[in-house]
């Protein structure tokens, strides 16, 4: 019984982790997080936050389209 509960918890954790990995992949598509940053260092936070905002905007838009809200 304990083993069954552990498997369910691991499965939930695994599917959450996969979701996070997919989001990281989308951020890396912009090459801000994976390549050398060539702007001034004090701009990095602004740029990465803008990229994360674009990814989130795209996800929200995709969610709305898929659920016909």
């Amino acid at each position: 019984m304990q083993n069954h509960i552990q498997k369910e918890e691991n499965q939930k954790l695994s599917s959450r982790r996969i979701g996070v990995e997919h989001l990281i992949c989308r951020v890396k598509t912009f090459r801000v997080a994976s390549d050398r940053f060539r702007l001034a260092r004090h701009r990095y936070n602004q740029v990465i936050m803008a990229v994360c905002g674009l990814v989130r905007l795209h996800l929200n838009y995709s969610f709305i389209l898929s659920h016909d809200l």
Side-chain angles (χ1 to χ4, degrees):
M1 189 69 164
Q2 180 92 2
N3 204 10
H4 179 68
I5 293 170
Q6 178 94 26
K7 281 187 179 184
E8 286 181 3
E9 289 177 4
N10 286 344
Q11 189 174 15
K12 288 178 187 176
L13 182 62
S14 177
S15 69
R16 272 190 94 174
R17 191 182 79 239
I18 288 172
V20 170
E21 291 291 334
H22 284 272
L23 288 175
I24 290 170
C25 181
R26 287 180 185 231
V27 170
K28 284 186 175 183
T29 300
F30 285 88
R31 297 175 57 179
V32 173
S34 58
D35 284 358
R36 182 172 180 208
F37 190 69
R38 299 191 182 274
L39 295 176
R41 285 186 178 184
H42 69 279
R43 296 278 184 224
Y44 182 78
N45 193 41
Q46 292 175 325
V47 172
I48 197 75
M49 293 304 285
V51 168
C52 290
L54 289 171
V55 168
R56 186 173 182 181
L57 182 68
H58 177 67
L59 288 174
N60 288 342
Y61 183 72
S62 298
F63 177 80
I64 289 170
L65 287 180
S66 68
H67 287 83
D68 291 328
L69 296 176

